[in-house]
Amino acid sequence: MAGRINEDDIRTLRERADIAAVVGDYTSLKRAGGRLKGLCPFHEERTPSFTVDPTHNLFHCFGCDEGGDVISFLQKIESLTFPEAVERLSRLSNFPLRYEELSPGQRKALGRRTRLTDALVAAATFYRTQLEGPDGEAARQYLAGRGLTRDDAQRFGLGWAPDRWDGLVRHLAQEGFEHSEISDAGLATIGRQGLTDRFRGRVVFPIYDAGGKDVVAFGGRILPDVQLKTGPREGQPPKYINSSESAVYKKSHTLYALNWARSEITRRQVALVVEGYMDVIALHRLGVRHAVATCGTALTTDHFRALEKFAPRVVLALDADAAGFAAAERARSLAEEVGLREVSVLPLPEGRDPADLADEGVDAVEAALHGTKTAVEFQIEHLLRGADTATPEGQTATYRATFPLLVRLPDRVLRYRYIRDLVAPAVRLSADRIEQELDAEVTAARGRGSAPAVPEPAPARRAPGDVTGGEPSDPQLILEREVLRTALQHPQLLPSAWKLVTAEDFRAPLSRTLFEAMSDVQLEDLGAVLAALPDDAMRSRVRALAMSESRVEPDAGHVAELVARLRAAAVEREVGSLRDDMTRLGEQLGPEDRRRYVTAFEELERRRRTLLEGSDH
């Protein structure tokens, strides 16, 4: 078992890796001065706002605020853990990694979770071996009948659970696993005959974690027209069963094939959710690799949260019937809860599933995908289909039935488009008339508090004193921003007077925080500056500042002037503070006190003039 990756190797790899080459595999980059620019691979945009700084091996998108180093880029774009991203980068860079072996104490500390994962991996190997052996002949024929080759079976790790009560249990026990570990991994159940295999006489589909590193569960399908020797005494066994939940597997969190689909989901910016394992495999074989499936359970908010990490849009393959309508309604509610931008539907003809569609070829699948509908459109069409619109009463009842769907849309223009394009033609009434009634209903519902308020878009606001975001309007903040940006981008141009600058020379708290972080490290090492900051939000802001464009190309004289103006402004604030003190104290000041204030005023004024005239650079 490999241990931790050597820290020196991680540091060296991070410094040596070519971020431009890595990022260039995901988006086209063009030279812009000393940096590279391109369209952001993390969000849709038409104007490039994604910037790569090869000097510091950093990237930042000024559109969606994603940013970091080359390792974090791979983590985000491929949804990898940190160790996975390091290992991926080492392969891309042809840089061998060293691992620190675990001590016996560390091995023990890995605990029961690792033992369960090891049991699942051993089970997957057992099932694959059984599929290749004499006992797997019927399963191989079934897979061949579904169009799967031996290479397909190996690619997706398919296996065969023999029709025996304890074939896997005996094998894992011989491998050194305790009965409690086999049971806790969801691989066996305890019955009258003791510990028995959970999967018997079934084709087995391993389910991996999102990173594709570990098997966490299995799904199993019985063979058609085959009577199980270990089946139930009465009735028929279910066609599909799944592992029970365990310490490493939660059905509500896990999606089948997400480990294979995540990069394609990120590339397409959409995930396709189907129902069955064979549906996913059939689509992936055709090259439609953004398909995933739930593991024998309904979609949950956690499923949507998992998908939202990769793409803003989810397409559901649903039957165009009442069950599909209910599934779309549930999906809309879950997506709204998570904040997912869009849920769409791929309507399936009656009695057909995505695997049937895949049998027609990739062109048929892609054509169907181009014909997806938004969940609202799918639901409205379901309500309109078969509605009685022959009478005025029927027309009114039909368009009013769509109101609960439309009222949840926050965009009034979007509501009107659905009315104009779908509802009004179906009921043969004026779209404006229907919209007026819907608007009245929205207003009344808000008053009753029985409907969600439709949010009005608000202009983006920046926190007061944030010099790291967009251009501030306060002259002092503009000055502080320019000073800090120049110090980050051109530290070699800083004058000797920079050593005299203190945190008190900055007015904004964020400026002071950044200056203090810069004071503790070498400015040439931007990574060290970022590491010294208190949180990721601050690091993101400072990274953006360090990679933002300056209005002018600075030289030594310009930078010296900026630093002098910063210090002079701090002196002016001292003058203002003294003046406020004199006003507040008024007649309480005696002659001696007034002379001290005047002397202080004169000294501060001398310092201010000296700074602005340039003799203190």
Side-chain angles (χ1 to χ4, degrees):
M1 179 189 300
R4 292 192 304 271
I5 302 172
N6 181 276
E7 290 293 335
D8 289 338
D9 285 354
I10 295 175
R11 185 162 46 251
T12 302
L13 179 61
R14 181 184 273 120
E15 293 171 354
R16 291 185 183 178
D18 185 349
I19 189 172
V22 173
V23 174
D25 286 339
Y26 299 89
T27 186
S28 178
L29 298 173
K30 294 183 178 180
R31 178 68 59 179
R35 300 189 180 89
L36 301 166
K37 282 192 172 182
L39 295 175
C40 180
F42 299 108
H43 80 287
E44 296 180 11
E45 63 177 6
R46 295 182 179 179
T47 302
S49 60
F50 185 85
T51 302
V52 173
D53 184 346
T55 303
H56 296 103
N57 255 2
L58 295 174
F59 74 94
H60 187 85
C61 176
F62 291 90
C64 67
D65 210 34
E66 288 284 4
D69 62 16
V70 62
I71 295 175
S72 60
F73 177 83
L74 285 172
Q75 283 185 267
K76 296 173 193 294
I77 198 73
E78 294 284 357
S79 296
L80 303 172
T81 64
F82 181 82
E84 290 170 344
V86 172
E87 291 172 339
R88 176 75 61 85
L89 184 60
S90 75
R91 292 193 295 273
L92 293 174
S93 305
N94 196 26
F95 181 89
L97 295 172
R98 292 171 295 171
Y99 292 83
E100 298 171 1
E101 289 299 320
L102 298 178
S103 68
Q106 288 172 322
R107 288 178 181 271
K108 185 176 181 180
L110 289 175
R112 193 167 187 79
R113 182 182 179 92
T114 298
R115 288 291 294 171
L116 300 186
T117 300
D118 290 346
L120 289 160
V121 171
T125 302
F126 171 80
Y127 291 140
R128 287 197 299 271
T129 301
Q130 294 297 310
L131 179 63
E132 294 288 339
D135 198 38
E137 175 62 26
R140 293 196 298 273
Q141 290 181 5
Y142 164 75
L143 294 174
R146 295 298 300 266
L148 272 66
T149 65
R150 181 182 181 186
D151 288 344
D152 292 327
Q154 292 177 344
R155 172 186 171 192
F156 294 100
L158 304 185
W160 169 249
D163 190 10
R164 299 196 295 271
W165 287 107
D166 59 356
L168 176 65
V169 169
R170 287 177 178 270
H171 173 76
L172 292 181
Q174 291 173 358
E175 293 289 313
F177 291 98
E178 299 176 0
H179 277 195
S180 61
E181 293 171 339
I182 301 171
S183 175
D184 290 348
L187 296 169
T189 58
I190 300 176
R192 294 179 180 178
Q193 302 183 43
L195 198 65
T196 59
D197 292 357
R198 181 176 181 84
F199 299 95
R200 304 183 303 275
R202 293 177 179 270
V203 174
V204 175
F205 304 83
I207 301 168
Y208 292 84
D209 61 11
K213 179 182 178 182
D214 296 322
V215 176
V216 296
F218 295 94
R221 191 201 192 283
I222 59 172
L223 299 179
D225 305 320
V226 173
Q227 191 71 28
L228 291 181
K229 293 182 292 187
T230 58
R233 294 182 179 180
E234 298 181 1
Q236 294 297 316
K239 181 188 292 187
Y240 281 96
I241 63 171
N242 294 280
S243 293
S244 57
E245 294 205 340
S246 69
V248 297
Y249 173 56
K250 296 291 184 289
K251 290 182 181 180
S252 63
H253 292 67
T254 308
L255 288 158
Y256 176 69
L258 184 57
N259 56 301
W260 296 306
R262 60 188 188 180
S263 61
E264 184 70 0
I265 290 173
T266 300
R267 188 184 73 81
R268 292 197 185 212
Q269 285 294 279
V270 59
L272 173 62
V273 180
V274 298
E275 184 175 337
Y277 305 127
M278 289 301 298
D279 293 328
V280 169
I281 291 174
L283 291 169
H284 277 242
R285 289 181 66 243
L286 282 181
V288 183
R289 298 189 180 93
H290 62 306
V292 297
T294 57
C295 301
T297 185
L299 278 167
T300 67
T301 53
D302 288 319
H303 287 139
F304 276 106
R305 287 192 182 97
L307 293 173
E308 192 268 338
K309 296 177 182 177
F310 310 109
R313 182 169 171 244
V314 171
V315 174
L316 309 177
L318 298 175
D319 295 328
D321 56 13
F325 177 91
E329 177 65 19
R330 173 177 170 79
R332 279 188 70 195
S333 299
L334 296 176
E336 288 169 3
E337 183 177 338
V338 173
L340 195 70
R341 193 179 73 189
E342 183 181 335
V343 175
S344 299
V345 175
L346 171 63
L348 295 172
E350 184 176 356
R352 291 172 61 80
D353 57 32
D356 297 325
L357 189 61
D359 288 340
E360 299 177 18
V362 65
D363 291 340
V365 174
E366 291 293 349
L369 290 173
H370 283 302
T372 58
K373 306 174 183 295
T374 67
V376 179
E377 182 181 9
F378 175 78
Q379 290 180 289
I380 290 175
E381 289 185 349
H382 175 78
L383 292 176
L384 297 177
R385 192 180 305 118
D388 179 11
T389 60
T391 65
E393 290 81 5
Q395 291 171 325
T396 303
T398 298
Y399 75 70
R400 286 177 177 170
T402 68
F403 282 7
L405 303 175
L406 295 170
V407 74
R408 285 160 52 193
L409 295 172
D411 189 330
R412 189 172 184 271
V413 174
L414 188 59
R415 293 202 303 268
Y416 180 76
R417 289 189 60 182
Y418 281 120
I419 293 171
R420 182 196 65 193
D421 297 343
L422 298 177
V423 182
V427 298
R428 302 182 301 281
L429 293 173
S430 164
D432 292 340
R433 169 186 164 183
I434 297 173
E435 184 191 34
Q436 288 173 3
E437 185 173 338
L438 176 60
D439 287 345
E441 176 64 24
V442 170
T443 301
R446 283 178 180 171
R448 296 191 301 267
S450 58
V454 180
E456 295 295 333
R461 298 183 61 188
R462 185 175 60 249
D466 184 358
V467 298
T468 60
E471 290 292 341
S473 57
D474 186 322
Q476 175 63 24
L477 298 188
I478 293 175
L479 174 61
E480 293 181 12
R481 177 186 174 88
E482 284 304 307
V483 169
L484 293 171
R485 172 162 49 194
T486 302
L488 288 168
Q489 296 181 358
H490 306 283
Q492 74 281 3
L493 296 180
L494 290 172
S496 58
W498 178 253
K499 298 177 182 179
L500 302 176
V501 176
T502 69
E504 296 305 314
D505 290 327
F506 297 89
R507 194 185 71 193
L510 288 177
S511 299
R512 294 176 182 173
T513 300
L514 175 52
F515 176 78
E516 289 170 350
M518 294 164 65
S519 301
D520 293 336
V521 298
Q522 291 290 326
L523 284 177
E524 289 77 8
D525 188 352
L526 182 55
V529 174
L530 295 173
L533 294 168
D535 54 50
D536 287 341
M538 186 68 175
R539 277 186 280 275
S540 176
R541 290 172 173 177
V542 172
R543 186 173 54 246
L545 183 61
M547 299 176 69
S548 62
E549 295 182 2
S550 180
R551 294 175 179 174
V552 296
E553 186 65 26
D555 55 28
H558 174 73
V559 177
E561 180 184 348
L562 283 176
V563 173
R565 285 171 51 202
L566 176 75
R567 297 176 62 205
V571 173
E572 289 178 1
R573 289 196 298 276
E574 288 188 60
V575 171
S577 178
L578 281 178
R579 187 176 293 110
D580 290 343
D581 286 347
M582 290 187 68
T583 301
R584 177 174 52 82
L585 294 172
E587 296 181 357
Q588 298 179 33
L589 289 174
E592 187 62 29
D593 292 329
R594 288 184 180 276
R595 280 193 293 273
R596 282 200 301 270
Y597 271 101
V598 170
T599 301
F601 274 128
E602 291 175 346
E603 173 59 23
L604 289 173
E605 180 58 26
R606 185 194 64 77
R607 284 175 53 194
R608 189 184 71 82
R609 282 198 308 271
T610 300
L611 288 168
L612 294 179
E613 290 171 359
S615 61
D616 191 34
H617 291 178

